[in-house]
């Protein structure tokens, strides 16, 4: 596995290895006033969230999946003093602090931490109050509001447990996301450092199809690997059309067998957010889909053009586009909510269509979406239910929580 750790040619091939993040202290640093900023709908209960996440990881292990944790890989590379200094430098360069004085003060603190504590801190952030005991020059008082107990020198990353967003494996390389929101940009930076420096990826030759410092946003939740010949990318609230074009060019340049990139335009709406919040692939010819999105989807197949140019073919509805992309005479769109529009809307809000395929026709889904799961089973899909009363508060499902590293070829 270590020799060729990255290999994802489809959404549904048997899952062999994934990257997860176990929710941690960063979730306990969400306060009501900051919910909108950190993209949460409610205050999570960390202990229960961890229990649910652990159970999810156990389900994956029980099906033969090797589980890696991003916080552990980050800790591993931070044992190297040179990497530690470089990462801290890059973190502070992008840190929205109040000036060089704070950056210097924060740098000294971060460099003083050993690898495990530093790994946790880079994810959980640094509260001003945490450093209140340290002697500071008077100039720093201008930046500190003692009446604001939740003020940060460095913000936490409460969305990191949605590991699909900051990076996605395509074939034997990575697309490292340029995140749409500033609060999440460090997540992709950490993945980049791990990819470049961790022995797990030593034989991957640094193949990247997108990078976190690009101007146009592209997030992993919008990328679906339909087959080794076609990649679907959502044009959404979080992914720019210009970014899709850059990604397509890079994929075509490296992957000779790639025939097209299917751009799927969905409304730029918080309720949908990413392409995988409205549909996911569950079998060779089956998809689960939120029916309310179908009249609002536009599709365009992007192909190689002449020279460096791309060619564009508008296709129309999603079903036709998927049939053409997969070269199948027919596909089945399994509508969430069991045909009930009220149930579909309610369960889509709770990520009913954000399912994780661990093999063809076998998926992990939130158990709370009972009607959607029932209709999937009626269509021959094995649904493994997981509890998600707390995990769901961050607006993401089992697919959002996993970054597949390796799948069997179909």
């Amino acid at each position: 596995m270590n020799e060729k750790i990255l290999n994802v040619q489809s959404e549904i091939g048997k899952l062999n290895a994934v990257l997860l993040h176990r929710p941690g202290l960063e979730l306990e640093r969400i306060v009501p006033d900051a919910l909108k900023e950190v993209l949460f709908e409610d205050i999570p209960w960390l202990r229960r969230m961890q229990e649910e996440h652990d159970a999810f990881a156990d389900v994956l292990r029980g099906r033969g999946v090797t589980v890696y944790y991003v916080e552990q890989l980050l800790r591993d590379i931070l044992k190297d003093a040179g990497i530690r200094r470089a990462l801290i430098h890059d973190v502070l360069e992008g840190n929205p602090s109040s000036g060089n004085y704070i950056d210097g003060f924060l740098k000294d603190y971060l460099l003083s931490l050993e690898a495990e504590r530093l790994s946790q801190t880079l994810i959980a952030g640094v509260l001003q109050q945490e450093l209140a005991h340290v002697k500071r020059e008077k100039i720093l008082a201008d930046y500190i509001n003692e009446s604001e107990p939740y003020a940060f020198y460095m913000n936490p990353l409460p969305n990191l447990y949605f590991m699909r967003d900051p990076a996605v494996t395509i074939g034997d390389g990575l697309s490292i996301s340029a995140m749409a929101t500033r609060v999440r940009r460090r997540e992709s930076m950490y993945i980049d450092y791990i990819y470049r420096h961790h022995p797990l990826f030593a034989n991957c030759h640094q193949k990247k199809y997108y990078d976190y410092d690009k101007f146009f946003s592209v997030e992993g939740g919008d990328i679906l690997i339909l087959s080794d010949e076609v990649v679907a990318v959502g044009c959404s609230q979080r992914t720019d059309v210009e970014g899709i074009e850059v990604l397509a060019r890079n994929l075509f340049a490296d992957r000779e067998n790639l025939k097209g990139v299917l751009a799927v335009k969905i409304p730029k709406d918080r309720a949908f957010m990413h392409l995988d919040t409205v549909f996911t692939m569950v079998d060779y010819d089956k998809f689960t889909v939120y029916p309310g999105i179908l009249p609002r989807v536009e599709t365009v197949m992007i192909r190689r053009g002449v020279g460096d140019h791309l060619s564009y073919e508008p296709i129309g509805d999603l079903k036709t586009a998927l049939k053409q992309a997969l070269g199948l005479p027919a596909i089945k769109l399994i509508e969430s909510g069991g045909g009930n529009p009220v149930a579909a809307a309610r369960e889509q809000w709770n990520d009913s269509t954000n399912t994780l395929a661990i093999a063809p026709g076998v998926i992990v889904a939130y158990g709370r979406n009972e009607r959607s799961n029932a209709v999937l089973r009626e269509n021959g899909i094995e649904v493994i239910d997981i509890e998600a009363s707390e995990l769901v508060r961050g607006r993401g499902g089992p697919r959002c929580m996993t970054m597949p590293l390796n799948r069997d070829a179909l």
Side-chain angles (χ1 to χ4, degrees):
M1 175 70 69
N2 195 8
E3 292 183 1
K4 296 182 179 179
I5 183 67
L6 294 184
N7 184 31
V8 175
Q9 307 289 349
S10 75
E11 287 291 310
I12 61 170
K14 181 185 177 300
L15 187 60
N16 298 315
V18 297
L19 186 61
L20 302 181
H21 169 56
R22 186 176 190 262
L25 176 61
E26 69 278 1
L27 274 301
E28 291 198 322
R29 293 186 161 178
I30 298 175
V31 294
D33 290 346
L35 283 172
K36 185 176 180 180
E37 178 185 356
V38 299
L39 312 174
F40 269 70
E41 306 297 332
D42 201 356
I43 299 295
W45 178 12
L46 179 57
R47 180 173 64 81
R48 180 62 58 83
M49 182 179 277
Q50 290 175 330
E51 291 171 355
E52 293 172 357
H53 196 274
D54 290 344
F56 171 51
D58 286 343
V59 164
L60 297 180
R61 294 189 187 98
R63 293 291 179 129
V65 180
T66 301
V67 175
Y68 298 97
Y69 287 97
V70 68
E71 58 271 28
Q72 293 178 354
L73 302 188
L74 186 60
R75 178 197 63 200
D76 291 344
I77 67 169
L78 289 172
K79 293 176 182 177
D80 182 289
I83 295 171
R84 185 162 62 245
R85 285 193 299 270
L87 180 53
I88 289 172
H89 173 271
D90 287 351
V91 165
L92 294 178
E93 282 291 298
N95 188 44
S97 71
S98 300
N100 292 333
Y101 185 85
I102 285 182
D103 286 347
F105 183 83
L106 188 54
K107 177 183 178 181
D108 291 343
Y109 170 69
L110 294 174
L111 285 172
S112 73
L113 303 177
E114 47 80 28
E116 185 168 356
R117 177 73 184 281
L118 179 58
S119 174
Q120 180 189 56
T121 300
L122 290 174
I123 295 170
V126 180
L127 278 162
Q128 288 186 0
Q129 286 195 340
E130 285 183 272
L131 303 187
H133 64 286
V134 179
K135 184 179 180 181
R136 293 166 294 201
E137 295 180 21
K138 186 178 184 299
I139 190 172
L140 193 59
D142 296 336
Y143 301 115
I144 300 175
N145 185 347
E146 299 295 350
S147 65
E148 253 189 80
Y150 309 117
F152 288 93
Y153 287 133
M154 184 174 70
N155 65 287
L157 301 175
N159 303 102
L160 185 60
Y161 75 97
F162 296 129
M163 280 303 308
R164 180 78 58 150
D165 293 343
V168 59
T169 306
I170 304 176
D172 59 351
L174 287 188
S175 172
I176 300 181
S177 302
M179 306 296 277
T181 54
R182 185 170 188 171
V183 72
R184 299 195 66 183
R185 291 176 189 171
R186 286 204 329 271
E187 298 176 33
S188 300
M189 180 190 295
Y190 297 165
I191 299 298
D192 178 69
Y193 263 81
I194 289 168
Y195 188 45
R196 287 190 287 122
H197 298 294
H198 200 282
L200 184 66
F201 303 102
N203 296 315
C204 294
H205 308 295
Q206 293 302 299
K207 186 179 289 188
K208 289 193 281 190
Y209 299 115
Y210 211 75
D211 219 336
Y212 72 93
D213 59 355
K214 298 296 184 185
F215 180 79
F216 298 109
S217 62
V218 172
E219 295 196 356
D222 279 311
I223 300 175
L224 279 71
I225 317 300
L226 298 180
S227 71
D228 62 347
E229 295 183 341
V230 181
V231 174
V233 186
C235 180
S236 69
Q237 185 189 54
R238 305 288 181 84
T239 293
D240 296 327
V241 64
E242 297 92 345
I244 296 174
E245 291 177 329
V246 173
L247 175 62
R249 283 192 171 89
N250 292 339
L251 288 170
F252 286 135
D254 181 71
R255 298 174 61 80
E256 293 183 1
N257 66 322
L258 187 70
K259 294 183 177 179
V261 173
L262 180 64
V264 183
K265 183 180 179 181
I266 62 175
K268 295 186 177 183
D269 190 312
R270 165 69 173 158
F272 306 136
M273 197 181 338
H274 289 133
L275 187 59
D276 69 0
T277 66
V278 294
F279 94 103
T280 46
M281 193 172 186
V282 296
D283 207 345
Y284 292 99
D285 58 353
K286 296 174 183 175
F287 297 79
T288 179
V289 63
Y290 169 54
I293 201 71
L294 293 175
R296 308 172 67 183
V297 167
E298 299 176 31
T299 61
V300 175
M301 183 63 78
I302 305 173
R303 294 189 176 90
R304 291 179 177 86
V306 178
D308 190 42
H309 296 288
L310 301 172
S311 70
Y312 303 84
E313 178 192 354
I315 298 177
D317 67 275
L318 183 62
K319 191 169 188 177
T320 300
L322 292 173
K323 281 197 302 182
Q324 290 187 16
L326 293 169
L328 296 173
I331 64 160
K332 189 171 186 63
L333 297 181
I334 304 170
E335 297 186 358
S336 60
N340 182 313
V342 174
R346 285 171 54 85
E347 295 194 354
Q348 188 273 334
W349 185 259
N350 290 320
D351 303 291
S352 61
T353 55
N354 191 260
T355 64
L356 173 70
I358 58 173
V362 183
I363 65 168
V364 181
Y366 284 163
R368 62 187 296 149
N369 297 312
E370 295 177 346
R371 293 197 185 189
S372 298
N373 293 347
V375 74
L376 283 164
R377 291 185 175 107
E378 290 167 6
N379 282 274
I381 304 301
E382 180 184 348
V383 181
I384 304 169
D385 291 338
I386 62 170
E387 185 62 40
S389 62
E390 294 301 316
L391 289 173
V392 76
R393 295 185 189 276
R395 298 299 322 286
R399 187 182 192 273
C400 284
M401 291 190 295
T402 56
M403 179 189 163
L405 301 174
N406 190 287
R407 290 183 181 272
D408 283 354
L410 294 178

